[in-house]
Amino acid sequence: ESFKQQMRREQGIPPPPAQRRPADISGDPTKLRLTPLQQAQLPAYFMTVHVYDEDPAKRFVLINALRYVEGEETRDGIRIERIIPEGAVLSYLGNPFFVRR
């Protein structure tokens, strides 16, 4: 099973939803970046709307024309980790990155 998970990561295939955990985010989230290899594995996406509110229940983003809240994932396995005033922290294959609004 460990070998299968490693092969999926190397091929850019997200793990099944039951095995996905929130990314570990510490420090300034606006500084989070992907490496060139991670960037190459990232599926194409387009964040068109970013709504931040003090009330977490009112925060959302539109990615590829679909609405997502914190903790949800796109069809391609991009997870919405946090929505902050400056943008959103997303992750792919457990690798967090920041997207400016």
Side-chain angles (χ1 to χ4, degrees), residues 16-82:
Q19 294 179 3
R20 297 180 195 156
R21 287 177 265 143
D24 182 28
I25 301 168
S26 58
D28 182 359
T30 64
K31 304 284 187 212
L32 294 169
R33 302 286 182 266
L34 295 175
T35 66
L37 177 60
Q38 293 167 339
Q39 186 97 31
Q41 293 175 335
L42 186 66
Y45 75 94
F46 194 58
M47 187 170 81
T48 54
V49 175
H50 164 271
V51 175
Y52 176 83
D53 193 279
E54 290 294 323
D55 179 0
K58 295 181 181 178
R59 299 175 192 168
F60 70 93
V61 292
L62 285 185
I63 296 177
N64 298 338
L66 296 173
R67 185 180 191 270
Y68 297 98
V69 298
E70 293 175 341
E72 291 185 323
E73 291 187 17
T74 68
R75 293 180 221 169
D76 297 320
I78 298 172
R79 181 181 174 88
I80 293 68
E81 298 289 348
R82 289 189 200 163

